[in-house]
């Protein structure tokens, strides 16, 4: 009696099946990495403590109306001009009485340095579009980031971005990052919106 | 009469496709592992604005989403076109936010409960009125770490 060979299972269609599954997952997958502007809200203040007095020269006032127009320090400007203006203000100028004051602050790795007392005050209308609001926020964050980059480059020969990326790897970089952050602290205050002008 | 005969020219041999399933399986596993199924179905229009200074959200499990925008076309008949808040899978009102915050916190590991980022996915055409109200509610509920969801772009225009 001749030995019968066991016939092999035909695996030729395996590739087809795998392809089918592959295409299913290719179609359903969403590779959206979530990106966005990260902000911190201030905690609720109790009503009885009055806000600390702030000198007018230390405040950079931004108003946005219901028609998405910008009024910065009493001047009507376009959103593309905001970054340069904000940078100029945050940096401040020791000789100019209209620019923010300086306060000597002890910062590790930098020593005693004058830090400007700048505050950016942002007030928008209830009718302002969210798109405009994000644009303004973005420009302000960009202004801070650019200044921090310049400062970090000058002091540590590295941009702020690089310091942030390397901060997890080394403590020295983390300290440097913190020092830069302390030198240009992000102070953006959002006032309660006003209900003037514009329909909902 | 040599033992070694020169092989006659045969046509090009076919490419061996035996390893094709392996390659395809490898790709398949990659996509199976990386895929994230959408948990919520959007009920509001959601085209987020663009910005240049965006940063990535690191841990998805520590993000809670709040959607704001006008209802999608198919729901406009029932809900109108005024902007609405969507939490999880349903339209909600401002009063529901504190409860939503509490529930989201409860779901997380106790050690990570104060690390939750609240991602606001707001349609770019929405007016700030409703956004500010939501922000005030979040502030009252002590949910302070916000993320304004935006897409990355190289340059912003007027």
């Amino acid at each position: 009696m001749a030995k019968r060979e066991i016939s092999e299972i035909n695996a030729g269609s395996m590739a087809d099946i795998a392809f089918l599954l592959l295409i299913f997952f290719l179609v359903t997958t969403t590779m959206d990495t979530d990106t966005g502007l990260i902000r911190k809200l201030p905690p609720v203040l109790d009503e009885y403590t009055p806000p600390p007095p702030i000198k007018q020269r230390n405040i950079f006032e931004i108003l946005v109306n219901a028609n998405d127009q910008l009024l910065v320090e009493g001047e009507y400007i376009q959103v593309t001009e905001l970054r340069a203006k904000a940078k100029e203000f945050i940096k401040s100028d020791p000789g100019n009485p209209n620019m923010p004051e300086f306060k000597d602050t002890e910062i590790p790795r930098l020593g005693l340095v004058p830090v400007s007392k700048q505050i950016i005050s942002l007030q928008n209308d209830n009718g302002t579009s969210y798109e405009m609001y994000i644009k303004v926020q973005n420009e302000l964050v960009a202004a801070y980031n650019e200044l921090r980059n310049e400062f970090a480059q000058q002091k540590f020969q590295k941009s702020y971005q690089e310091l942030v990326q390397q901060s997890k790897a080394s403590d020295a970089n983390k300290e440097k990052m913190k020092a830069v952050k302390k030198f240009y602290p992000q102070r953006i205050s959002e006032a309660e919106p006003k209900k003037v002008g514009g329909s909902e | 009469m040599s033992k070694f005969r020169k092989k006659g020219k045969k046509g090009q041999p076919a490419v061996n496709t035996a390893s094709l399933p392996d390659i395809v399986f490898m790709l398949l596993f990659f996509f199976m592992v990386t895929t994230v199924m959408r948990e919520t179905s959007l009920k509001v229009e959601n085209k987020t604005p663009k910005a240049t200074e965006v940063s990535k959200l690191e841990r998805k499990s520590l993000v809670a989403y709040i959607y704001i925008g006008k209802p999608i076309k198919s729901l406009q008949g029932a809900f109108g076109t005024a902007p609405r808040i969507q939490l999880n899978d349903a339209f909600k009102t401002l009063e529901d936010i504190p409860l939503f915050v509490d529930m989201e916190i409860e779901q997380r590991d106790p050690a990570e409960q104060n690390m939750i980022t609240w991602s606001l996915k707001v349609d770019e055409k929405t007016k700030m009125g409703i956004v500010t109200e939501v922000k005030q509610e979040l502030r009252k509920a002590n949910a302070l770490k916000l993320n304004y969801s935006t897409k990355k772009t190289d340059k912003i225009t007027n």
Side-chain angles (χ1 to χ4, degrees):
Chain A
M1 206 170 141
K3 225 185 189 176
R4 251 173 120 205
E5 270 184 50
I6 300 165
S7 61
E8 267 180 62
I9 298 168
N10 184 9
S13 54
M14 184 141 86
D16 301 352
I17 297 164
F19 260 122
L20 213 78
L21 279 168
L22 174 63
I23 289 163
F24 169 72
F25 277 100
L26 262 170
V27 171
T28 55
T29 197
T30 45
M31 286 264 187
D32 57 335
T33 42
D34 239 336
T35 53
L37 299 171
I38 290 172
R39 309 270 35 204
K40 268 243 159 100
L41 289 178
V44 186
L45 297 169
D46 68 88
E47 285 167 37
Y48 305 104
T49 37
I54 300 165
K55 279 186 193 158
Q56 192 58 42
R57 62 183 279 197
N58 294 338
I59 302 177
F60 187 69
E61 210 179 359
I62 305 171
L63 299 168
V64 194
N65 75 1
N67 298 324
D68 290 353
Q69 288 162 321
L70 271 180
L71 195 71
V72 175
E73 296 278 78
E75 216 182 307
Y76 171 60
I77 64 160
Q78 298 294 318
V79 72
T80 38
E81 301 167 61
L82 179 62
R83 191 185 299 198
K85 278 218 153 216
K87 268 178 86 173
E88 196 188 346
F89 176 85
I90 296 162
K91 218 172 181 177
S92 190
D93 178 8
N96 193 335
N98 293 322
M99 285 293 195
E101 298 168 293
F102 286 93
K103 189 184 175 200
D104 288 329
T105 319
E106 182 75 40
I107 299 176
R109 277 188 177 257
L110 294 174
L112 200 64
V113 282
V115 174
S116 97
K117 284 174 152 182
Q118 39 83 20
I119 286 183
I120 293 178
S121 154
L122 172 63
Q123 181 160 48
N124 53 266
D125 192 272
N126 268 351
T128 308
S129 80
Y130 182 67
E131 192 186 4
M132 186 64 186
Y133 173 77
I134 288 294
K135 271 184 193 170
V136 172
Q137 288 275 356
N138 182 58
E139 287 310 281
L140 296 178
V141 175
Y144 277 109
N145 278 351
E146 279 183 20
L147 282 173
R148 284 175 178 177
N149 271 342
E150 283 164 24
F151 183 72
Q153 199 76 44
Q154 183 198 332
K155 283 276 173 200
F156 306 118
Q157 286 78 46
K158 260 182 196 163
S159 77
Y160 180 66
Q161 237 85 37
E162 283 172 325
L163 286 179
V164 172
Q165 275 161 19
Q166 293 162 8
S167 63
K168 275 188 189 131
S170 89
D171 281 342
N173 281 335
K174 196 171 184 176
E175 261 177 46
K176 284 177 186 170
M177 183 192 87
K178 280 193 176 154
V180 177
K181 223 173 169 174
K182 274 206 177 129
F183 191 76
Y184 283 125
Q186 209 180 74
R187 297 202 195 107
I188 304 174
S189 146
E190 285 178 50
E192 307 259 324
K194 281 186 179 149
K195 283 183 186 162
V196 283
S199 51
E200 278 278 308
Chain B
M1 223 182 101
S2 56
K3 260 191 177 171
F4 306 100
R5 218 178 295 149
K6 249 190 189 170
K7 273 181 185 163
K9 260 198 180 165
K10 288 173 191 168
Q12 291 265 330
V15 179
N16 186 9
T17 56
S19 56
L20 188 68
D22 301 350
I23 297 164
V24 174
F25 265 118
M26 215 162 70
L27 278 169
L28 175 63
F29 287 138
F30 171 72
F31 278 100
M32 275 176 75
V33 171
T34 55
T35 199
V36 184
M37 299 274 178
R38 240 175 223 279
E39 275 170 36
T40 51
S41 52
L42 275 181
K43 288 187 169 176
V44 293
E45 280 181 17
N46 207 266
K47 188 168 172 284
T48 49
K50 294 190 173 76
T52 56
E53 309 295 313
V54 300
S55 42
K56 263 189 199 165
L57 273 183
E58 298 270 305
R59 293 177 58 184
K60 274 207 172 152
S61 59
L62 284 179
V63 182
Y65 297 96
I66 297 168
Y67 302 90
I68 305 171
K70 73 181 187 190
I72 53 171
K73 279 259 161 58
S74 55
L75 291 171
Q76 277 179 8
F79 294 99
T81 55
R84 278 174 177 269
I85 306 162
Q86 183 190 346
L87 304 172
N88 292 329
D89 254 335
F91 286 133
K92 288 283 162 74
T93 55
L94 280 174
E95 290 80 53
D96 297 318
I97 290 180
L99 192 68
F100 169 75
V101 170
D102 284 347
M103 290 218 333
E104 287 289 331
I105 291 175
E106 203 106 302
Q107 281 170 18
R108 295 331 193 263
D109 204 51
E112 299 177 331
Q113 280 179 349
N114 53 357
M115 288 156 70
I116 302 177
T117 307
W118 305 87
S119 181
L120 287 177
K121 291 200 169 223
V122 185
D123 190 80
E124 60 183 7
K125 291 204 185 81
T126 315
K127 300 288 181 205
M128 277 309 289
I130 187 167
V131 183
T132 314
E133 280 164 9
V134 169
K135 269 162 64 182
Q136 288 298 341
E137 283 300 322
L138 286 174
R139 225 179 118 186
K140 275 185 221 152
N142 214 17
L144 302 178
K145 208 175 157 200
L146 287 198
N147 169 58
Y148 299 114
S149 187
T150 49
K151 289 195 198 80
K152 182 147 179 64
T153 180
D154 293 330
K155 203 170 189 304
I156 69 153
T157 50
N158 276 321

